[in-house]
Amino acid sequence: MPHTRPQWITRPETGSDVAGVRAVHLAAFPTPLEADLVDALRADRAWIDGLSVVVTDVDDVPVGHALLTRCHIDATPALCLAPVAVRPELQRSGAGSAAVRAVLRAARDKGERYVVVLGHPAYYPRFGFTRASAHGVGVTFDVPDEALMALALDEAHALPSGTIRYAEPFGV
């Protein structure tokens, strides 16, 4: 019998999800840094309602999360995809991909144009991300070139070149 992946339920985060989202990040990462970052971003002006997406189980408990917050490429508004997390026992189940696709769709629906991510170069290209340096997009700190990626959500608007300015809670 072929193995079937679960059909993940994705939806915008609500106030009742805050503790569950924190629990996902605490489980997924070795330190509380990402969980603390989400909490700090939630209180920051970079937060955009509707661009924090949870993946839930059948009981509506968050098991995955993807977050987009405001950043800029020079003066141009863009979004930063970070962090993305899935409970360890559900990693490689499609939950993370479901969260990323849902949050990118929500951003597109809001008329957003650009997204940047600093992440695993083998993972994010499946969503359309390409090497940021190929578009003249960079950062002011050292990162592996292949790990910094960017995406234009609307093909009618090419990625601008420039330096990414992150929200203050990122500390860069």
Side-chain angles (χ1 to χ4, degrees):
M1 199 147 114
H3 174 71
T4 58
R5 288 182 171 227
Q7 290 295 309
W8 292 107
I9 301 160
T10 59
R11 61 170 174 74
E13 174 188 316
T14 66
S16 63
D17 294 320
V18 171
V21 166
R22 183 167 179 82
V24 167
H25 287 278
L26 289 173
F29 294 102
T31 73
L33 286 175
E34 284 80 4
D36 293 346
L37 175 61
V38 173
D39 291 342
L41 287 166
R42 201 178 277 117
D44 193 81
R45 63 189 175 122
W47 186 267
I48 302 169
D49 286 337
L51 296 186
S52 177
V53 169
V54 293
V55 179
T56 64
D57 63 15
V58 294
D59 297 318
D60 202 39
V61 174
V63 297
H65 178 244
L67 178 60
L68 288 169
T69 52
R70 176 67 64 218
C71 69
H72 291 82
I73 301 172
D74 282 350
T76 304
L79 297 170
C80 172
L81 176 58
V84 174
V86 174
R87 294 195 62 83
E89 67 275 15
L90 295 171
Q91 290 173 3
R92 303 194 186 319
S93 70
S97 291
V100 171
R101 285 191 185 95
V103 81
L104 292 176
R105 189 168 45 252
R108 199 174 285 113
D109 291 349
K110 285 184 173 286
E112 294 288 341
R113 293 185 178 165
Y114 313 111
V115 180
V116 296
V117 66
L118 180 57
H120 200 287
Y123 183 73
Y124 290 97
R126 72 185 71 180
F127 308 107
F129 285 93
T130 58
R131 197 179 290 226
S133 63
H135 306 280
V137 176
V139 291
T140 58
F141 51 94
D142 285 338
V143 297
D145 186 57
E146 66 276 4
L148 184 65
M149 293 165 271
L151 169 69
L153 292 171
D154 175 357
E155 291 179 12
H157 296 90
L159 280 159
S161 61
T163 302
I164 300 168
R165 290 185 296 117
Y166 291 91
E168 193 175 312
F170 283 98
V172 292

